[in-house]
Amino acid sequence: MTTQAAGIAPRDSGLATERTALAWRRTIASCCTAVLLLAHQAVVTHSVTTTAAVSAAALALCAVAAIGYRRNRELRAGRTATAGWPIVVTALAVTTVAAIIAVSTSVS
């Protein structure tokens, strides 16, 4: 018995792949926004601590961007297997940037 006969629509993995690629792009865009806001604060406060925080956050952003770019290429190539390590590294990088922002805003 096929899925058509059972009245179940066939699975379209193309849309799920596109949603995943868009989620990676949104994550990178939100990290860029956080770094830009932190850089603005560093310029306004002239704080060495905040400037160092911007550098650390920018490095974390570069890591997320590289991982997101690689994962998007994998998804576009049809390799849709669940990728565990990019998700863990991205979560750690985003958490690190959030902690950097929290510390730098409380110090200045």
Side-chain angles (χ1 to χ4, degrees), residues 14-25:
L15 293 177
T17 302
E18 185 65 25
R19 283 192 304 270
T20 302
L22 289 172
W24 278 104
R25 289 184 190 126

Side-chain angles (χ1 to χ4, degrees), residues 22-78:
L22 289 172
W24 278 104
R25 289 184 190 126
R26 283 191 307 269
T27 301
I28 293 168
S30 63
C31 286
C32 286
T33 303
V35 170
L36 288 175
L37 289 172
L38 192 57
H40 178 268
Q41 181 181 355
V43 169
V44 170
T45 62
H46 303 290
S47 169
V48 175
T49 305
T50 308
T51 304
V54 169
S55 300
L59 286 174
L61 170 66
C62 288
V64 171
I67 291 169
Y69 177 75
R70 181 177 175 193
R71 184 64 181 142
N72 275 329
R73 288 185 53 94
E74 289 174 353
L75 291 170
R76 300 264 182 220

